[in-house]
Amino acid sequence: MKTKRESNKKKKIVVDLDVVTVAKWDKGKNGDLSRKFVIRVEKGEFDMHTPYIILDLISEWRHTALVKEIKEFYDIYSQEIISVINLEDKILKLNINRKALTLDLKSYDIKDEDIILVIITSIFGVDCLVTFNRKHLKNNEVKINNVLQKYNLKTIKIVLPDEI
């Protein structure tokens, strides 16, 4: 039986940029799913941890109004922004061969920015990575976890916004 403290523990999540972009931009079914999920984040249902790369990626976009909305969402609702220094310190402490790990994940056509999301989700003990990215992430969850296990890292759960 769970104690009261355990049952009230919020899930630690990483929210991929595609989920927030779809929530702010898409007027279709995926947009509705994303908006419902984003509302849950805004209500404080989860502890969101945001990798620095997400903010770096949107800083290059030309749609300034969309960038402002997305950045504001991550700034306001992130429990923690995981910086390059935090990531590098953790990799060093865990004695991870980052280059080899990255190459192994790339062998499954995982994109660089997705590799960082995977690594951060694993080494920071995040409960799940929320994404719409089926091609590079969701459909490769077993392969990704096999690679993580090879490096003695925590396996991860990759979910769509309506699966959490």
Side-chain angles (χ1 to χ4, degrees), residues 3-75:
T3 66
K4 185 175 181 177
R5 183 178 181 151
E6 289 172 326
S7 62
N8 290 337
K9 186 179 174 198
K10 294 179 186 180
K11 283 192 182 291
K12 284 176 63 175
I13 60 172
V14 168
V15 180
D16 196 354
L17 181 57
D18 63 352
V19 174
V20 182
T21 304
V22 168
K24 304 292 183 188
W25 190 267
D26 188 332
K27 303 299 180 211
K29 181 182 175 189
N30 283 342
D32 291 341
L33 288 173
S34 265
R35 280 185 290 283
K36 286 177 185 174
F37 172 75
V38 163
I39 288 167
R40 292 173 65 198
V41 172
E42 291 171 347
K43 287 182 176 178
E45 189 174 327
F46 309 101
D47 282 342
M48 185 169 66
H49 297 261
T50 302
Y52 68 91
I53 190 158
I54 289 175
L55 302 175
D56 283 352
L57 285 172
I58 64 172
S59 68
E60 299 171 12
W61 293 2
R62 286 186 227 145
H63 301 284
T64 55
L66 181 61
V67 168
K68 183 180 179 209
E69 272 189 80
I70 293 171
K71 187 175 182 329
E72 188 174 271
F73 170 79
Y74 284 113
D75 285 344

Side-chain angles (χ1 to χ4, degrees), residues 86-138:
N86 289 349
L87 177 59
E88 293 302 326
D89 283 350
K90 194 81 162 177
I91 287 171
L92 189 62
K93 284 178 187 169
L94 293 171
N95 198 29
I96 299 169
N97 183 338
R98 182 179 176 165
K99 188 173 184 177
L101 173 59
T102 299
L103 288 173
D104 281 351
L105 289 168
K106 277 187 178 186
S107 72
Y108 295 112
D109 294 324
I110 311 297
K111 299 183 304 182
D112 288 338
E113 59 265 23
D114 293 333
I115 289 171
I116 293 172
L117 295 178
V118 165
I119 292 171
I120 285 174
T121 301
S122 175
I123 68 175
F124 282 87
V126 175
D127 296 309
C128 57
L129 169 57
V130 183
T131 186
F132 271 120
N133 187 333
R134 287 180 173 89
K135 181 178 179 185
H136 298 111
L137 291 173
K138 180 71 172 158

